[in-house]
Amino acid sequence: MEEKAKNIRRSIIEMLTKAGSGHTAGPMGSADFWTLLYLGKIAKYRVDEPWWEGRDKVVLSAGHYAPVLYAVLAEVGFFNREKLMTLRQIDSDLQGHPVYGSLPGVENGSGSLGQGISMAVGMAIANKLDDKKSMVYCFMGDGEQNEGQVWEAYMSASKFRLDNLTVIIDRNHIQIDGHTEDVMPLEPLEDKYKAFNWHVLHVDGHNMEEIIDAVNHA
């Protein structure tokens, strides 16, 4: 898995270099998690049936992390890896932020930060209503925790007891305007989630064993 994560990072650098623009830090920093999610088979999916009803849904809320999502989708075979080199080009399916349905495995459109968790909560509620056993995974950046909509969604998830929803937050302490604690202090972040009745696990995002244990526990 560590070697596969290196391959994912290489793909990210190649894509961004060819495009001449895009976000590097988030995709590179979260590559271990995304590698495990797809290549470590944490998420349930079928390459030959991308819209399979029983699949787990992966919502990328922090849309600027798109290069890592595209890289893992290509790595598992959802589309040809050569397509990665069209990132951010006009008429490409690989836009700077994901577009719902543009590629197999892209479950949501994202750009305005904070909206993904609301979509994920809706998907998780729908799964409950339809008696589906599949999971919803929502990946977020720490900067988008500034958005009020995020906390409304957290309250809703608690109210509806969505044990089929797992949220992963990349606590890298940076956002577009600077250090998170300078822009809008977030700490004590874990205590905030706990106050919203969430079960919180803190892991080293570069320790694959910790990531696997945490996701299995969740």
Side-chain angles (χ1 to χ4, degrees):
M1 285 298 105
E2 290 177 357
E3 286 301 313
K4 291 181 185 297
K6 289 179 183 178
N7 290 337
I8 295 300
R9 288 186 172 96
R10 289 190 189 98
S11 294
I12 292 167
I13 292 298
E14 290 170 0
M15 294 161 66
L16 293 173
T17 300
K18 179 71 185 303
S21 65
H23 296 265
T24 308
M28 293 286 282
S30 62
D32 294 315
F33 165 76
W34 286 96
T35 299
L36 289 172
L37 189 66
Y38 281 92
L39 288 102
K41 299 295 178 70
I42 289 174
K44 293 184 300 183
Y45 61 87
R46 294 177 179 174
V47 172
D48 58 348
E49 195 179 349
W51 306 112
W52 168 50
E53 282 293 317
R55 72 189 183 280
D56 291 340
K57 293 182 178 177
V58 180
V59 174
L60 175 59
S61 184
H64 56 287
Y65 282 59
V68 70
L69 172 62
Y70 298 151
V72 293
L73 292 178
E75 192 73 19
V76 298
F78 275 119
F79 55 87
N80 194 304
R81 191 178 178 280
E82 293 177 0
K83 201 168 190 174
L84 294 177
M85 296 302 107
T86 69
L87 176 72
R88 287 177 166 248
Q89 293 181 18
I90 293 176
D91 296 329
S92 170
D93 295 328
L94 284 74
Q95 288 302 305
H97 292 71
V99 177
Y100 170 69
S102 61
L103 292 164
V106 177
E107 298 283 358
N108 67 294
S110 55
S112 297
L113 293 175
Q115 295 183 352
I117 180 59
S118 295
M119 295 184 229
V121 166
M123 292 175 185
I125 291 173
N127 281 351
K128 291 274 190 181
L129 293 173
D130 294 338
D131 199 29
K132 290 181 180 177
K133 305 303 180 186
S134 52
M135 290 290 296
V136 179
Y137 295 97
C138 181
F139 185 90
M140 306 184 74
D142 53 2
E144 61 183 322
Q145 307 306 306
N146 295 354
E147 303 290 346
Q149 177 177 347
V150 166
W151 299 96
E152 294 175 20
Y154 289 156
M155 282 192 289
S156 296
S158 175
K159 170 183 168 60
F160 293 108
R161 304 181 66 82
L162 299 181
D163 54 354
N164 58 346
L165 170 64
T166 297
V167 175
I168 301 92
I169 298 168
D170 181 15
R171 186 67 171 118
N172 63 8
H173 297 272
I174 53 173
Q175 58 190 103
I176 197 165
D177 291 326
H179 193 279
T180 55
E181 300 314 292
D182 295 329
V183 177
M184 181 63 68
L186 295 173
E187 294 299 339
L189 193 54
E190 287 188 42
D191 290 342
K192 289 183 172 70
Y193 301 129
K194 290 175 181 176
F196 280 70
N197 296 321
W198 280 67
H199 180 55
V200 182
L201 301 170
H202 185 101
V203 301
D204 177 351
H206 302 294
N207 185 314
M208 293 197 166
E209 289 185 2
E210 286 190 23
I211 295 171
I212 292 170
D213 288 345
V215 174
N216 287 338
H217 180 79

